[in-house]
Amino acid sequence: DSGVTQTPKHLITATGQRVTLRCSPRSGDLSVYWYQQSLDQGLQFLIQYYNGEERAKGNILERFSAQQFPDLHSELNLSSLELGDSALYFCASSVVSGRQETQYFGPGTRLLVL
Amino acid sequence: GQNIDQPTEMTATEGAIVQINCTYQTSGFNGLFWYQQHAGEAPTFLSYNVLDGLEEKGRFSSFLSRSKGYSYLLLKELQMKDSASYLCAVVSGNTPLVFGKGTRLSVIA
């Protein structure tokens, strides 16, 4: 158990709908990262937040947005869903030790768009 | 940009040793991670290399050569539970981790 929690574990929805994925980082971790992992793709970095502020952006679609709240939990919003959005969505939080920043991953949310 | 290459699949025998290679092209290299990911589960941290050489941690070791843009993960005394994907990831500059597509390892009896 990494200490990172994600809800829900599974989500089934229809095209055109909107969903919200939730992530709570490990206690004390200020950074939250979101990733998408499709069957034929590796882990694709979507976005990073640090202490409530957006820090880095990856290949995140305009239909997707995220935020990090004062209690440091984060939400990833996916709208106008398409079949191709079906994937595992992971969040990770990180701990810094010297020059090493290690990410610890939550169990993921499996999204199926029908 | 960054490019990370790993073999797609490997098969090895229980009790044997296997080496999973990773090559990368990046600018401003800051470190290289290896993660293990069982099917449908979260990636779990295995190792981190920032300096050249071998880092040993139990049955797993990771090697880095920065001049060659090359790393490998060495798994000894393979067990069936080691069947998983192994992800190489590089951090450079101020950009977050970039992951390779992973190597799916199958351990057979």
Side-chain angles (χ1 to χ4, degrees):
Chain A
D1 185 356
S2 67
V4 179
T5 60
Q6 288 186 249
T7 56
K9 288 191 74 170
H10 303 276
L11 201 46
I12 302 175
T13 188
T15 53
Q17 296 298 304
R18 171 191 165 98
V19 298
T20 298
L21 313 184
R22 194 178 192 277
C23 168
S24 292
R26 298 174 348 143
S27 177
D29 288 356
L30 300 179
S31 271
V32 170
Y33 301 77
W34 285 99
Y35 292 88
Q36 179 192 57
Q37 188 175 42
S38 305
L39 267 176
D40 57 347
Q41 296 286 328
L43 273 168
Q44 300 291 317
F45 168 68
L46 296 177
I47 198 163
Q48 177 201 0
Y49 278 83
Y50 179 84
N51 203 20
E53 300 287 327
E54 181 185 304
R55 176 164 274 194
K57 219 168 189 176
N59 299 322
I60 187 167
L61 300 171
E62 285 196 16
R63 300 184 285 110
F64 295 1
S65 65
Q67 54 184 329
Q68 185 179 29
F69 295 87
D71 67 353
L72 300 178
H73 92 271
S74 177
E75 291 181 357
L76 178 67
N77 300 296
L78 315 176
S79 61
S80 302
L81 284 168
E82 302 175 359
L83 296 178
D85 298 327
S86 296
L88 263 171
Y89 290 84
F90 289 105
C91 86
S93 69
S94 65
V95 60
V96 177
S97 174
R99 291 178 59 191
Q100 178 180 342
E101 180 180 358
T102 303
Q103 294 185 26
Y104 293 90
F105 285 78
T109 293
R110 186 178 294 277
L111 173 66
L112 181 59
V113 182
L114 300 174
Chain B
Q2 298 170 347
N3 192 39
I4 299 172
D5 287 310
Q6 310 177 230
T8 304
E9 290 187 29
M10 297 182 72
T11 301
T13 306
E14 194 176 14
I17 299 173
V18 70
Q19 177 174 313
I20 301 174
N21 296 326
C22 170
T23 58
Y24 61 90
Q25 294 93 40
T26 187
S27 55
F29 175 85
N30 283 345
L32 186 142
F33 289 82
W34 284 96
Y35 280 81
Q36 180 192 59
Q37 185 179 24
H38 286 97
E41 297 183 11
T44 55
F45 168 74
L46 288 178
S47 68
Y48 172 74
N49 293 72
V50 64
L51 299 176
D52 290 352
L54 190 68
E55 296 275 345
E56 296 188 71
K57 200 186 281 187
R59 294 190 299 114
F60 293 5
S61 305
S62 56
F63 170 84
L64 176 67
S65 168
R66 289 172 297 170
S67 61
K68 296 181 179 175
Y70 168 68
S71 173
Y72 67 72
L73 181 69
L74 194 71
L75 292 74
K76 302 176 191 173
E77 300 168 18
L78 279 173
Q79 302 175 9
M80 300 299 282
K81 67 178 182 180
D82 297 329
S83 293
S85 287
Y86 291 86
L87 313 178
C88 171
V90 172
V91 60
S92 61
N94 289 322
T95 59
L97 275 181
V98 175
F99 283 84
K101 289 195 174 184
T103 298
R104 188 160 56 246
L105 173 67
S106 298
V107 179
I108 58 175

